Amino acid sequence: MKKLLLLLLIGFGTISLTQAQTQGESRLHALGQYGLRLNEPGIGLGWEYFFAEKFGFMPNYTRIFPNVGNASNFSADLRYYLSTGKSQVYAMTGYSLTSENPQPGSAGTRRNQSGANVGVGAVVPIVEWVALSTEFKFQSQGFRQTYFRFGLAFPL
């Protein structure tokens, strides 16, 4: 983990800042995620809206596939773009609500946990109409797990 943080800091230091995101733009994200602590995969959708220069708001929903039961996550993340050229690197923070049911079909087994998100990510254009989206995200609730998220972003 220390090596990853050092690598990210070096990466941020070598990126030059360019023009900002345009207010009012938005993107649709189709995401896959992988929980690094419990090896839990997931798939999700998100919509990112740029409400100010360099700031984006992204609500997203993820269906998680644990070994036993079922789970889902809703997050509302605030992103600040450190660079906005071809490779758009950002830092994010937000709110997260995870619903888990370790025993589907049994009454009273659903559990909801809320907490904070923090992370870093990048959006790299592949062609004009699609970009690669990657993110490392730590969620404070529940098992306090770090997720690696990856997927595609489509400008609207």
Side-chain angles (χ1 to χ4, degrees):
M1 187 69 170
K2 290 180 184 179
K3 290 180 184 179
L4 175 65
L5 290 174
L6 180 61
L7 184 61
L8 288 172
L9 287 174
I10 291 170
F12 287 145
T14 60
I15 294 171
S16 62
L17 297 176
T18 60
Q19 65 185 22
Q21 293 291 346
T22 305
Q23 183 177 347
E25 289 182 352
S26 64
R27 294 191 270 227
L28 181 66
H29 292 258
L31 301 165
Q33 94 174 7
Y34 188 74
L36 299 177
R37 183 172 177 199
L38 299 177
N39 302 324
E40 294 177 333
I43 57 171
L45 287 174
W47 174 66
E48 182 177 18
Y49 176 73
F50 296 98
F51 63 90
E53 187 175 310
K54 294 188 178 186
F55 284 95
F57 176 70
M58 184 171 158
N60 59 84
Y61 174 81
T62 305
R63 177 80 173 149
I64 303 168
F65 302 101
N67 292 331
V68 177
N70 56 46
S72 63
N73 177 269
F74 172 77
S75 294
D77 300 327
L78 177 65
R79 294 176 168 188
Y80 175 73
Y81 281 84
L82 303 169
S83 68
T84 54
K86 279 212 175 249
S87 296
Q88 303 167 358
V89 177
Y90 62 87
M92 56 83 56
T93 187
Y95 169 79
S96 185
L97 174 66
T98 300
S99 296
E100 301 173 306
N101 191 349
Q103 300 173 344
S106 299
T109 57
R110 179 163 293 282
R111 156 177 73 193
N112 294 324
Q113 299 175 339
S114 61
N117 298 327
V118 292
V120 295
V123 178
V124 181
I126 299 171
V127 293
E128 186 176 311
W129 56 273
V130 67
L132 177 66
S133 176
T134 61
E135 180 177 271
F136 278 100
K137 178 187 224 177
F138 174 76
Q139 293 183 331
S140 68
Q141 78 276 12
F143 298 110
R144 294 182 174 91
Q145 183 164 206
T146 300
Y147 291 95
F148 173 65
R149 300 180 81 186
F150 53 91
L152 300 174
F154 304 93
L156 300 176

